[in-house]
Amino acid sequence: MIKSDISLARKFIDDSTYLHSRKKADQALEQLRHGTGPGSEWLGWRDILAEPNDAKLEQISELGEQIRSKADVFIVCGIGGSYLGAKAVIDALSDHFDQDGPEILYAGHHMGGKYLEQMLSHLKKPKKDGSPKNIYLNVISKSGSTLETALSFRMLRELIEDLYGEEAYEHIICTTGKEGGLLNEMIEAKGYRKFIVPDDVGGRFSVLTPVGLVPIAVAGIDIKTLFYGAVTAYNQFEENAEDLVEYAALRNAIHESGKTIDVFATFEPELASIGGWIQQLLGESEGKEGKGIFPTVASYSTDLHSLGQFIQQGQRSLMETFIIIEKSFSELSVNELEENDDKLNYLSGKSFHEINAKAREGTIEAHSEGAVPIVRIYLEALNAENIGQLIYFFELLTGIFVYSLNVNPFNQPGVEDYKKAMYRLLGKH
Ligand code: PA5
């Protein structure tokens, strides 16, 4: 099970501040459990784990297998909560270089013309044997109207229609809300395959619905194990959520103490996108009404050579959260070199896991001495079960922490402001 250790942050908070925050976190958990907090109509991310839909999981697994056996390229077209969860899980659990199965590409998460232009030309390029690539497209938009996603979908759909003619509908999968939205009109008109984003699950809480599960299954990851990892975490935290309540209380107390930034750090490059998912989950949930701790992501030891200086000695406005994988998941160790011209033989025989772990321990020691409050989150091993647990761990933490700020975690009213200005400048009627 996921473990959290707040001791290196707790020492910066006095008892009365902590106890005050602890009371708020206890109440927040009760609000979540009884559906009495603001936005309680958005608690479906808990319900899907309380009553798993095995038939749906089976259906998605089978579709994933089918597409894997046919596709050369699978495009995930979505933005924010409509793609970050899938990317996080796929990046965590796939080979860095040799993808077994279709190439997974991402579109619809920005409006960079060059990226899309190059993607279109990459898709049109035949395979090494001269045959055309077999392309599948999963457009994911709960509202069915997000501009970034809709624009990319328009361009990619045209290519797929050109390539496959009347069969194009077989290459397009739409994941959207049950009713309404332009995507539903297109599904009706063109007969695209449809998956529903449950009404009561918001984008950033939707990775364990078809939003995340379809792309994750196509990437060859066992979605049942992933999902049931989250179910295990759900059941455990329904019985005893002490660790999470303590963590949420601590984060609340840190917030009260004036810290404004939480750096989510990992020493495992596989977890960089998990950091991106946590950043969105927390950021879009807590950053309202002038409140919140700005979540950001660091990939160590790479970023120790860019952000490390600031974290060690810059303005003391930071806390840091390390996500740690305990068990080694690589066999690689350092070789012995007879000439030792690089003077690295003192590391010969040591595994990279061991060396990386020492770098992590040294960093935690140094940053802690530099007055950075540190939280450590431990996963036993890197696998689908543990990533499933981690997903629910952070979803529940987000719910408890944001309720303890007296904020609705499940809306994002501020996101509309840029859209209004952009649509006005684009002349949308
Ligand atoms: O978490 C959220 O709700 C948002 O980040 C949405 O996922 C994002 O804005 C995309 O919205 P949609 O799925 O409607 O295109």
Side-chain angles (χ1 to χ4, degrees):
M1 230 3 240
I2 310 278
K3 288 182 288 179
S4 52
D5 181 347
I6 60 166
S7 55
L8 291 177
R10 178 69 181 82
K11 65 182 185 186
F12 291 98
I13 305 291
D14 64 71
D15 284 352
S16 77
T17 310
Y18 178 75
L19 287 175
H20 184 62
S21 292
R22 170 70 208 223
K23 222 182 249 168
K24 290 199 247 177
D26 280 326
Q27 282 164 0
L29 178 63
E30 287 314 300
Q31 283 182 302
L32 274 176
R33 285 190 172 155
H34 297 111
T36 51
S40 58
E41 65 277 24
W42 296 89
L43 293 174
W45 50 278
R46 284 170 49 76
D47 303 335
I48 55 173
L49 300 176
E51 285 177 40
N53 184 340
D54 290 330
K56 183 58 71 188
L57 287 175
E58 192 54 46
Q59 183 202 3
I60 297 175
S61 295
E62 275 172 20
L63 175 72
E65 268 311 307
Q66 273 171 32
I67 294 180
R68 273 174 76 66
S69 66
K70 293 191 273 196
D72 296 301
V73 183
F74 182 80
I75 307 161
V76 181
C77 183
I79 194 167
S82 286
Y83 93 105
L84 284 166
K87 186 166 192 320
V89 176
I90 293 170
D91 287 358
L93 298 174
S94 307
D95 191 293
H96 284 286
F97 303 103
D98 292 320
Q99 285 174 3
D100 162 33
E103 181 184 15
I104 310 282
L105 300 179
Y106 298 90
H109 54 309
H110 56 67
M111 293 183 281
K114 183 157 183 161
Y115 180 92
L116 194 56
E117 194 175 22
Q118 291 183 346
M119 179 179 282
L120 289 165
S121 102
H122 172 71
L123 295 171
K124 284 180 208 157
K125 241 182 241 157
K127 294 192 278 188
K128 278 199 184 111
D129 65 7
S131 63
K133 287 174 180 140
N134 196 5
I135 303 163
Y136 284 77
L137 171 62
N138 184 190
V139 59
I140 308 164
S141 177
K142 186 171 180 186
S143 61
S145 59
T146 304
L147 184 63
E148 290 85 342
T149 303
L151 261 185
S152 289
F153 182 49
R154 169 188 274 229
M155 306 301 283
L156 291 163
R157 190 160 57 112
E158 186 182 37
L159 173 75
I160 288 189
E161 278 167 0
D162 284 352
L163 288 174
Y164 304 110
E166 284 188 0
E167 310 293 305
Y169 74 96
E170 290 197 359
H171 292 256
I172 296 178
I173 300 145
C174 301
T175 308
T176 190
K178 196 167 163 210
E179 286 164 358
L182 293 171
L183 207 43
N184 269 318
E185 287 177 24
M186 290 182 226
I187 292 166
E188 190 126 313
K190 306 265 185 170
Y192 300 142
R193 192 184 332 226
K194 172 176 170 177
F195 283 95
I196 293 174
V197 192
D199 282 345
D200 54 2
V201 183
R204 57 193 172 278
F205 288 83
S206 69
V207 52
L208 297 174
T209 72
V211 169
L213 293 178
V214 171
I216 293 168
V218 172
I221 293 159
D222 179 352
I223 58 163
K224 292 178 205 158
T225 304
L226 176 83
F227 191 91
Y228 270 90
V231 171
T232 302
Y234 172 85
N235 289 330
Q236 156 145 356
F237 291 132
E238 284 309 280
E239 236 170 65
N240 179 355
E242 182 61 19
D243 267 17
L244 262 177
V245 173
E246 275 195 354
Y247 177 15
L250 180 273
R251 206 167 183 273
N252 185 293
I254 298 252
H255 179 264
E256 302 274 294
S257 77
K259 299 276 185 228
T260 52
I261 299 167
D262 189 353
V263 181
F264 283 85
T266 172
F267 273 76
E268 314 296 350
E270 291 74 16
L271 297 187
S273 301
I274 291 273
W277 172 77
I278 294 170
Q279 181 178 38
Q280 192 230 355
L281 178 68
L282 271 164
E284 223 169 59
S285 302
E286 68 181 292
K288 290 159 209 170
E289 302 172 28
K291 298 180 191 169
I293 305 182
F294 185 81
T296 185
V297 183
S299 220
Y300 293 156
S301 59
T302 313
D303 290 336
L304 290 175
H305 297 258
S306 58
L307 298 171
Q309 171 59 40
F310 192 110
I311 292 170
Q312 190 69 47
Q313 294 181 332
Q315 195 186 77
R316 300 298 70 194
S317 49
L318 303 154
M319 68 174 285
E320 218 174 3
T321 306
F322 283 81
I323 302 177
I324 298 165
I325 299 173
E326 291 182 284
K327 230 196 222 156
S328 172
F329 51 99
S330 136
E331 304 288 310
L332 197 67
S333 58
V334 179
N335 56 336
E336 174 86 20
L337 210 63
E338 210 181 310
E339 59 269 43
N340 194 24
D341 51 356
D342 54 9
K343 302 281 183 277
L344 289 176
N345 273 358
Y346 75 100
L347 295 174
S348 296
K350 285 199 187 337
S351 71
F352 274 77
H353 177 81
E354 207 180 334
I355 296 169
N356 210 19
K358 292 289 177 245
R360 185 185 68 233
E361 285 165 26
T363 305
I364 290 175
E365 188 181 306
H367 289 183
S368 189
E369 279 166 16
V372 178
I374 289 175
V375 171
R376 287 166 290 180
I377 310 292
Y378 293 95
L379 271 81
E380 225 170 87
L382 182 59
N383 55 38
E385 153 90 24
N386 284 347
I387 295 292
Q389 290 181 13
L390 188 74
I391 287 171
Y392 185 67
F393 178 95
F394 274 105
E395 287 180 345
L396 187 58
L397 171 80
T398 301
I400 302 173
F401 170 68
V402 181
Y403 269 170
S404 77
L405 294 181
N406 211 8
V407 161
N408 179 352
F410 306 114
N411 61 6
Q412 52 281 330
V415 181
E416 292 313 308
D417 293 353
Y418 100 88
K419 290 187 190 167
K420 270 188 220 143
M422 171 180 75
Y423 285 133
R424 177 177 45 75
L425 293 169
L426 286 171
K428 186 184 176 194
H429 305 294

